[in-house]
Amino acid sequence: MISFDFEYYRPDTAAEAAEIYQVLSGAGKNPLYYGGGTEIITMAQSNQLKPGAIIDIKQIPECNVFEVRNDEILIGACLNLNQAAEGNLFPLLSKTARGIADHGSRDKITIGGNICGKLIYREGVLPFLVADGEVVISGQNGAAARPLSEVFSQTMQLRPGEFITQLKVKRSYASVAFFSQKKTKQAKVDYPLLTVAALRQGDDLRVAFSGLCTFPFRSVNIEQDLNSRDLSWESRVNNALGRLPGPVLNDLRGSAAYRLFVLSGALRDMLTQLKGVGENVSNA
Amino acid sequence: MGAVGTGVPRKEAKDKVTGNIKFVGDYISPGLMHARLVTGTYAHALLKNIQTAAAWRVPGVKAIVTGKDCSFLTGAYLEDRPPLAADKVRYYGEPVALVVADSELAAKQGAEEVRIEYEPLPAVNSVHDALRPGAPRIHENLGEYRRVKPVFPETNSNIADRVKVRKGDMGKGWAGSEITVEASFHLPQSDHVAMETRCVRAEIAPDGRVTIHSSSQAPFVIRKLISRYFLIDTGKITVIVPAVGGSFGGKAAVQLELLAYMASQAVGGRQVKLVNTREQEIISSPGRIGLDAEVRLGATKEGQLMAAEITYLVDGGAYSDIGAVMTKSIAADCTGPYKIDNVQCDALCVYTNHPYTTSYTGFGHASYTFAIERTLDMLAKKLKMDPWQLRRMNAIAPGDTSPTLTGLTTSNLGDTGKCLDRVKQLINWDEGQVVTGQDGKIRAKGLSALWKTSSTPTDARSGAILTFNPDGSLNIGVGAVEIGQGSKTNLAVMAAERLKMDVGKVHVMMEVNTHAHPEHFKTVASMTTFMAGRAVLEACDDIIHQLLSMASIVLRCSPEDLDVAGGRVFLTDNPNMYVDITELVHGYKYENGNSIGGQVIGRGSYIMRHLTEMDPETGKGNVGPGWTVGAEAVEVEFDPGDFTYKMLKAVAVLDAGKVINPRIAQAVVMGRMNMGLSLANREGLIYSGSGVVENASLRDYKIMRFAEQPQYTVEFIETPQIDAPYGARGLGEHGLIGMPAALGNALSAAARVELNQLPLLPETIWSVKEGRP
């Protein structure tokens, strides 16, 4: 049960949504855009979030597309994780999405909501980070596609009133070799100790992580280490472990030391599965 | 007819699977008010001030109750717990205030506005912390608390109770031991996680009659305690249990009922509903004990167990409640089902600043069994002996004595050896305990034997009233609660068997009403089939006697010439001469209108016999009517690369005495096995350094899901207990007891390390392997 009253709006267009936001914000209502609601509802129950109004963007047509247009895969931000997985236009996303929460929750959690959420894991962003994805941001001044690498830094860097309507990746990413692994403390349905999403572009591996630090990330430095073909796998993994962008989480799901152990195992699994062209297996 | 031993579906099955069953929380009525708990946010702190002004300003708030409004202490053995914290809070989540409002929303809003000022005290965060010299005192007035039943709190300490078992001669035991092994163990507290959180409705009528609806295993205890603490005659109190949505021991404790009564009292007796949120369910209401154990075993080179020296430190949390009783129960069965002539066991119920605890399926036995059975595997290793063989040669048998010196017979003890033999076959033990696959994965098996008796009060009792409907069908009224264990169906089966009637014509009332039904001690201890069963059978015999006597007049013969079966009373030598029982059960009426006999009402009762309290110095005593024994095994597939594992198979063989209903028995045992595995492989409360529970939600407190289950095999041996109904032994809890130990033994063998703590997470195995603290 939520203790406070709030207003509910359900605009039909992105422009209308942005306009409602401006009005509510101006009136001091502290509005929030609303996708699947799993975070907003549970956090509001315990008063960790207290929006005066929510703007449900699920009726906005462009938030619900899921198609290949020209050489791009368009993924509406309001697709729920089951739809994103079952439609399977982007297999790395399908696999990663299936690891999030349980089936019932995935019917609610939207891909956009997962990426913009307050929980630190945001595993849904990993496939887009490694696939050089773009994100369509709507706001008062209309919509524009931006490279994710420019607007995602630990969290989505949105200005007040902005929300994401779509994600885009190049169609070619649907057919590259990929790797997605989620490690949990024990239960299959849990937040990650570590989630790794990776793909091979040409001879290079790209990899992004969730659960390791207080934010999801893709690291050019780590990729350089893992792609150092002159080194053994062991050295590559060890070098990568030393280049994490922040302190390793140490919480009730696992100690930092154990997470690093799990990470080194996951990286070895990834290297095994995505061996680069001409990779000398004996290096292992 | 033969109902016993057939797979009669549960009487309440359709109501449950269709969602038609109604629980306490499902009822709303005009004028119903709602209460909400305000709970403490420190594990140990003085309560300096409770500000309620802002809460009073919430529209709809009608009353706010705090510890100042209730002056009594409560407890099952030792009265150490204020229903609402008064001077200080002793665990994180302890109820501090109660807001009563005319809507659930207003109650929640009001509760959020209550401001509490604390002065934090150092928290006692483990049993070892609690026993350290100079440890903070959790109960300053421990020596002054009223003792309701035998319990031995130690003044100026954090010890709520100490139970001693002294059997044989330890000097002799150690002298005869050529090999010794010792180990320590740590098992955290955990939660029952019943699907239905605890819920109560209470009201006080203008003439003072009190009605409590509760999701409870103990309606008659609620009646007793409401009477004791609020000075109301028991006759004016009615407790009703409509249905229980899972309990596992947790709903045997009386907590919210006292609060709901106070809430109703605060609003002039109006009906008030109080329901736990999931978070309150996990921390504010009592959960499962933690246990730290030290076990030292001695044996001859041939493997004969000679001596056991055991210390069990029960983490009972901030209040003793049933924790003290569990400590006794653990001590009484402290060795597991093995013949050991020299035993010294000290079991302490220790106060900590953790949530307080109560009964949980297995009543502490799964915890100590983990310690004993792990030590046995370590001993077997030292002896270079097969762990199965070690258990088999030491299995307790008729002629031996229990740790509390009860003589064991073929009736009061099941056949542990047979259970071990069958488990060995079912788990394919002879294949080898550890088998490494071509993929590098390791398949390993672990064993555990188990036993448990009931530890009820010495005067625990039950009763049954049987009445008939005009169609000749039977109604069974008992005070035992259906908590998913299928007992009410089993009672119907036994009545049908005794009265030789169709079990479809036996109706059981699922609801329990303390005004309508005869008292049943509590629905705990796997004792419903035994105690209520004995009462029902006595009532059936009473009915048979009445039917034969009336029919003998109608049929003009001696009652000895008659028998009852298939809804008729007939001449044994000529079944064609009969009278239908529909003509008898409400009195027999002759053609001219004359009537005889009156209604047939069956009456039966049972009270435990020959039980005694344990001697405070030696533990000597007779704690239960019989031991159910069993053996269990788990097979895992372990990945030595990352220390993850899958549970492939779980096997249980229990000596059921007699299986009353194979389908229910299988389901109950399997459900308990699942709980045991879930406890062992993931559950446990996690505390911060200051004793705050960090995983008080199902996001963070994980239980096993359907897709994570191993393949279960459940079989039964039948060694009848002569004084039990049809020979049936208690069965409700035992499937759980050996599971954590079997899993621990399988993983210890697979990982080649001694895993002596729960839960058995991959990180647990990794850290032991790495030698981390």
Side-chain angles (χ1 to χ4, degrees):
Chain A
M1 180 174 283
I2 295 173
S3 305
F4 55 89
D5 290 339
F6 55 88
E7 294 169 13
Y8 175 84
Y9 297 87
R10 199 178 67 192
D12 294 322
T13 65
E16 197 190 337
E19 193 186 320
I20 292 171
Y21 188 96
Q22 290 307 319
V23 173
L24 293 171
S25 187
K29 292 275 169 69
N30 186 25
L32 281 179
Y33 289 113
Y34 183 95
T38 53
E39 283 187 28
I40 293 178
I41 292 169
T42 50
M43 294 176 88
Q45 280 170 345
S46 53
N47 296 309
Q48 291 168 279
L49 268 183
K50 287 186 102 167
I54 57 171
I55 304 164
D56 186 342
I57 58 170
K58 287 200 296 295
Q59 292 300 307
I60 297 171
E62 52 265 49
C63 291
N64 290 293
V65 299
F66 195 23
E67 60 185 36
V68 178
R69 201 180 291 165
N70 304 322
D71 64 340
E72 282 184 327
I73 304 167
L74 302 186
I75 298 163
C78 289
L79 290 175
N80 71 46
L81 295 180
N82 285 333
Q83 291 169 325
E86 283 153 21
N88 202 28
L89 295 182
F90 182 17
L92 175 57
L93 173 63
S94 307
K95 178 124 194 262
T96 307
R98 282 199 173 95
I100 300 170
D102 56 32
H103 193 273
S105 302
R106 287 198 297 274
D107 266 341
K108 291 288 172 204
I109 300 169
T110 62
I111 183 67
N114 181 263
I115 290 173
C116 297
K118 300 241 184 257
L119 290 171
I120 61 172
Y121 305 107
R122 300 186 278 275
E123 294 155 274
V125 80
L126 304 182
F128 297 100
L129 287 175
V130 292
D132 286 332
E134 289 190 324
V135 56
V136 180
I137 298 175
S138 268
Q140 224 185 353
N141 304 319
R146 301 278 304 279
L148 197 59
S149 56
E150 289 175 15
V151 291
F152 190 90
S153 169
Q154 303 194 358
T155 60
M156 272 300 296
Q157 305 294 305
L158 295 172
R159 286 191 293 260
E162 289 183 336
F163 62 100
I164 67 175
T165 55
Q166 282 174 4
L167 293 136
K168 296 184 188 183
V169 290
K170 290 267 185 311
R171 189 178 182 176
S172 57
Y173 285 109
S175 48
V176 298
F178 69 91
F179 174 85
S180 176
Q181 190 177 69
K182 176 165 182 166
K183 293 282 194 179
T184 58
K185 179 182 181 178
Q186 178 76 289
K188 192 169 161 287
V189 177
D190 197 357
Y191 296 122
L193 269 176
L194 172 67
T195 298
V196 181
L199 54 77
R200 201 180 73 206
Q201 174 68 357
D203 283 351
D204 283 342
L205 303 180
R206 297 178 183 174
V207 58
F209 305 90
S210 162
L212 207 49
C213 302
T214 54
F215 49 88
F217 65 90
R218 175 184 167 188
S219 156
V220 176
N221 293 336
I222 289 175
E223 287 177 4
Q224 273 175 1
D225 289 329
L226 295 173
N227 288 318
S228 304
R229 214 145 298 166
D230 47 335
L231 296 179
S232 72
W233 286 10
E234 206 56 46
S235 309
R236 291 190 224 176
V237 169
N238 283 338
N239 291 346
L241 293 185
R243 300 250 250 166
L244 298 174
V248 177
L249 281 176
N250 189 24
D251 61 16
L252 56 86
R253 290 193 160 69
S255 65
Y258 180 63
R259 275 190 160 89
L260 287 173
F261 166 76
V262 170
L263 173 63
S264 60
L267 290 177
R268 277 194 297 274
D269 288 351
M270 182 196 69
L271 286 167
T272 309
Q273 199 171 315
L274 298 181
K275 282 191 290 274
V277 176
E279 187 92 17
N280 184 352
V281 179
S282 66
N283 277 351
Chain B
M1 215 58 52
V4 165
T6 65
V8 176
R10 281 166 193 275
K11 292 279 185 183
E12 77 281 20
K14 280 187 185 161
D15 271 347
K16 279 189 176 163
V17 297
T18 58
N20 187 51
I21 197 161
K22 298 288 184 291
F23 298 95
V24 176
D26 291 331
Y27 290 87
I28 47 172
S29 60
L32 177 68
M33 305 196 69
H34 298 264
R36 179 98 172 183
L37 285 178
V38 181
T39 61
T41 51
Y42 286 87
H44 199 192
L46 296 175
L47 283 172
K48 301 306 285 183
N49 187 16
I50 302 175
Q51 289 175 22
T52 57
W56 276 111
R57 282 197 292 273
V58 172
V61 168
K62 301 297 181 198
I64 300 172
V65 186
T66 66
K68 289 203 177 84
D69 303 312
C70 43
S71 55
F72 63 91
L73 297 173
T74 177
Y77 268 50
L78 179 65
E79 292 186 333
D80 57 5
R81 187 176 67 81
L84 291 169
D87 305 321
K88 66 175 190 174
V89 289
R90 295 183 174 88
Y91 67 95
Y92 175 74
E94 180 165 1
V96 175
L98 199 53
V99 176
V100 192
D102 56 14
S103 73
E104 196 179 343
L105 176 63
K108 180 171 186 257
Q109 289 170 327
E112 286 164 0
E113 294 299 328
V114 174
R115 301 274 174 268
I116 304 168
E117 281 172 38
Y118 301 94
E119 183 182 318
L121 297 168
V124 175
N125 213 1
S126 72
V127 289
H128 294 294
D129 276 358
L131 297 177
R132 225 161 257 147
R137 292 279 169 271
I138 296 169
H139 292 271
E140 294 79 0
N141 304 321
L142 184 55
E144 291 156 35
Y145 290 151
R146 187 157 80 107
R147 301 170 199 194
V148 191
K149 289 182 182 160
V151 60
F152 306 95
E154 298 181 4
T155 312
N156 295 323
S157 82
N158 289 318
I159 298 170
D161 195 16
R162 183 189 291 266
V163 188
K164 296 181 211 163
V165 169
R166 302 287 182 266
K167 176 185 177 183
D169 177 342
M170 293 312 290
K172 229 158 116 186
W174 294 125
S177 298
E178 292 156 298
I179 306 282
T180 62
V181 59
E182 58 185 300
S184 8
F185 301 88
H186 173 72
L187 290 76
Q189 289 188 331
S190 53
D191 188 60
H192 304 81
V193 203
M195 205 184 291
E196 177 208 25
T197 61
R198 292 166 174 92
C199 181
V200 189
R201 301 192 327 266
E203 62 184 307
I204 307 165
D207 63 1
R209 283 175 302 112
V210 176
T211 306
I212 308 273
H213 287 79
S214 178
S215 171
S216 173
Q217 296 169 252
F220 296 92
V221 181
I222 296 170
R223 182 179 68 180
K224 183 169 76 183
L225 297 189
I226 294 277
S227 167
R228 179 185 297 165
Y229 298 123
F230 304 110
L231 308 175
I232 300 162
D233 294 340
T234 47
K236 289 188 174 166
I237 304 163
T238 307
V239 181
I240 298 167
V241 178
V244 175
S247 51
F248 316 113
K251 290 172 182 166
V254 179
Q255 182 201 29
L256 298 191
E257 293 83 0
L258 303 177
L259 297 174
Y261 175 86
M262 292 191 286
S264 176
Q265 202 176 30
V267 291
R270 298 259 301 270
Q271 186 172 178
V272 177
K273 185 196 280 188
L274 174 60
V275 53
N276 269 349
T277 65
R278 176 59 65 187
E279 291 72 19
Q280 290 165 347
E281 183 76 3
I282 294 175
I283 51 170
S284 300
S285 285
R288 176 174 184 258
I289 58 165
L291 182 75
D292 280 65
E294 277 170 40
V295 179
R296 186 168 172 228
L297 294 179
T300 64
K301 275 188 292 201
E302 292 72 36
Q304 191 191 339
L305 292 172
M306 298 302 293
E309 192 178 312
I310 306 166
T311 307
Y312 291 132
L313 305 177
V314 171
D315 183 352
Y319 299 104
S320 61
D321 196 71
I322 302 285
V325 198
M326 261 183 295
T327 306
K328 288 182 202 309
S329 176
I330 288 170
D333 284 349
C334 61
T335 55
Y338 302 103
K339 172 182 159 55
I340 309 178
D341 289 338
N342 307 297
V343 178
Q344 176 178 325
C345 173
D346 286 270
L348 278 68
C349 182
V350 181
Y351 288 121
T352 62
N353 290 117
H354 292 164
Y356 81 104
T357 55
T358 188
S359 45
Y360 180 106
T361 307
F363 212 57
H365 284 56
S367 305
Y368 82 75
T369 298
F370 182 79
I372 292 292
E373 295 285 331
R374 285 287 306 117
T375 312
L376 281 175
D377 262 32
M378 293 158 79
L379 178 64
K381 199 192 267 180
K382 216 164 169 181
L383 289 162
K384 296 188 171 53
M385 192 171 170
D386 179 296
W388 180 86
Q389 188 60 38
L390 176 66
R391 288 175 172 81
R392 186 67 178 86
M393 75 175 280
N394 289 290
I396 201 155
D400 300 334
T401 58
S402 80
T404 66
L405 297 178
T406 297
L408 300 170
T409 68
T410 50
S411 175
N412 72 4
L413 181 73
D415 193 332
T416 314
K418 263 193 195 166
C419 294
L420 279 164
D421 292 347
R422 185 61 184 143
V423 154
K424 186 182 184 210
Q425 292 169 337
L426 290 172
I427 199 72
N428 193 16
W429 182 260
D430 289 337
E431 170 196 35
Q433 192 182 6
V434 178
V435 179
T436 305
Q438 288 180 339
D439 56 359
K441 299 245 174 97
I442 296 169
R443 268 195 308 116
K445 309 178 215 293
L447 286 172
S448 173
L450 62 101
W451 74 343
K452 181 183 177 297
T453 188
S454 58
S455 315
T456 65
T458 56
D459 61 348
R461 54 195 172 266
S462 187
I465 297 171
L466 273 49
T467 57
F468 281 96
N469 302 301
D471 63 0
S473 63
L474 183 75
N475 306 312
I476 298 183
V478 292
V481 182
E482 177 57 52
I483 49 175
Q485 83 285 43
S487 288
K488 294 233 169 164
T489 305
N490 281 355
L491 295 177
V493 165
M494 292 192 289
E497 178 87 19
R498 183 60 62 100
L499 295 171
K500 296 183 204 144
M501 64 189 287
D502 176 6
V503 70
K505 297 193 89 176
V506 182
H507 307 290
V508 286
M509 278 167 272
M510 287 298 156
E511 178 175 292
V512 171
N513 178 321
T514 56
H515 255 163
H517 297 130
E519 180 167 326
H520 179 86
F521 140 69
K522 287 192 262 190
T523 304
V524 295
S526 307
M527 277 288 104
T528 308
T529 298
F530 180 81
M531 291 173 53
R534 283 284 301 255
V536 164
L537 290 184
E538 188 177 286
C540 287
D541 291 342
D542 186 26
I543 278 176
I544 291 168
H545 175 77
Q546 293 173 50
L547 289 174
L548 296 188
S549 136
M550 214 189 308
S552 72
I553 298 166
V554 176
L555 298 172
R556 296 169 205 175
C557 62
S558 149
E560 284 74 38
D561 295 338
L562 297 170
D563 196 3
V564 182
R568 292 171 172 183
V569 184
F570 53 89
L571 275 174
T572 315
D573 55 305
N574 180 12
N576 289 328
M577 197 166 174
Y578 68 90
V579 54
D580 216 280
I581 67 163
T582 54
E583 294 184 60
L584 296 172
V585 292
H586 290 96
Y588 184 80
K589 191 170 171 184
Y590 288 94
E591 276 178 26
N592 72 352
N594 290 173
S595 299
I596 60 163
Q599 283 194 58
V600 173
I601 299 171
R603 180 197 68 100
S605 75
Y606 182 76
I607 188 159
M608 285 289 186
R609 78 166 189 215
H610 300 163
L611 299 189
T612 59
E613 299 294 349
M614 289 166 70
D615 181 276
E617 294 309 316
T618 66
K620 188 173 187 311
N622 188 21
V623 296
W627 279 260
T628 302
V629 300
E632 298 189 311
V634 173
E635 181 174 339
V636 297
E637 184 185 71
F638 175 73
D639 183 337
D642 63 6
F643 309 122
T644 58
Y645 62 92
K646 263 191 245 165
M647 296 181 284
L648 303 176
K649 285 184 194 160
V651 177
V653 179
L654 302 182
D655 191 337
K658 171 74 188 174
V659 179
I660 300 294
N661 187 325
R663 284 164 67 169
I664 289 178
Q666 285 260 346
V668 164
V669 173
M670 210 179 285
R672 297 310 190 245
M673 292 166 76
N674 157 53
M675 280 180 81
L677 290 175
S678 182
L679 275 176
N681 103 344
R682 65 190 62 181
E683 293 183 44
L685 296 186
I686 300 171
Y687 309 98
S688 74
S690 57
V692 169
V693 179
E694 294 186 316
N695 57 343
S697 81
L698 294 185
R699 272 176 200 260
D700 298 326
Y701 187 100
K702 296 291 179 179
I703 57 171
M704 258 167 78
R705 293 189 177 229
F706 190 75
E708 297 170 310
Q709 305 294 335
Q711 181 193 84
Y712 291 103
T713 306
V714 179
E715 285 196 8
F716 298 103
I717 304 289
E718 293 187 326
T719 311
Q721 179 178 336
I722 294 165
D723 59 332
Y726 296 103
R729 298 174 188 278
L731 206 60
E733 304 165 90
H734 301 72
L736 185 147
I737 295 171
M739 279 291 117
L743 182 66
N745 283 335
L747 286 170
S748 296
R752 298 173 191 280
V753 286
E754 304 302 346
L755 298 169
N756 292 346
Q757 56 178 314
L758 296 183
L760 295 161
L761 306 167
E763 180 168 4
T764 317
I765 305 172
W766 170 80
S767 62
V768 175
K769 272 282 207 194
E770 294 272 299
R772 286 166 185 267

